[in-house]
Amino acid sequence: MKTLYEQLGGTYREENGRLIPEMKLPEQTNYKIGKYGQFYLDYIKNHCRGRDTTLLM
């Protein structure tokens, strides 16, 4: 019996006796973050220099 994930085309890999689902994100780098995401990004850039640097790396 297949799991729903397998029925939808997903695959698993085995690591240390456990089945781990193989998931990949699309290779798109320009995500739309919306109005409030822009507000938060602006706040991070102006008030949290360390966090901004970490996110850029």
Side-chain angles (χ1 to χ4, degrees), residues 27-38:
E27 297 196 16
Q28 178 184 2
T29 57
N30 296 328
Y31 297 101
K32 294 183 180 181
I33 59 174
K35 175 183 174 181
Y36 294 104
Q38 288 290 335

Side-chain angles (χ1 to χ4, degrees), residues 3 7 9 13 21-23 27 37 48 53:
T3 64
Q7 290 174 5
R13 61 182 156 79
E22 292 188 331
M23 297 182 195
E27 297 196 16
C48 307
T53 304

Side-chain angles (χ1 to χ4, degrees), residues 44-57:
I44 289 174
K45 284 182 180 179
N46 293 323
H47 294 67
C48 307
R49 293 266 175 164
R51 184 181 295 175
D52 183 42
T53 304
T54 303
L55 290 173
L56 289 174
M57 291 184 168

Side-chain angles (χ1 to χ4, degrees), residues 1 8-9 11 14 16-20 34-35 37 39 42 44-45 48 53 55-56:
M1 182 172 156
L8 294 173
T11 58
E14 186 172 346
N16 301 326
R18 296 182 184 189
L19 294 175
I20 311 280
K35 175 183 174 181
F39 287 150
D42 187 51
I44 289 174
K45 284 182 180 179
C48 307
T53 304
L55 290 173
L56 289 174

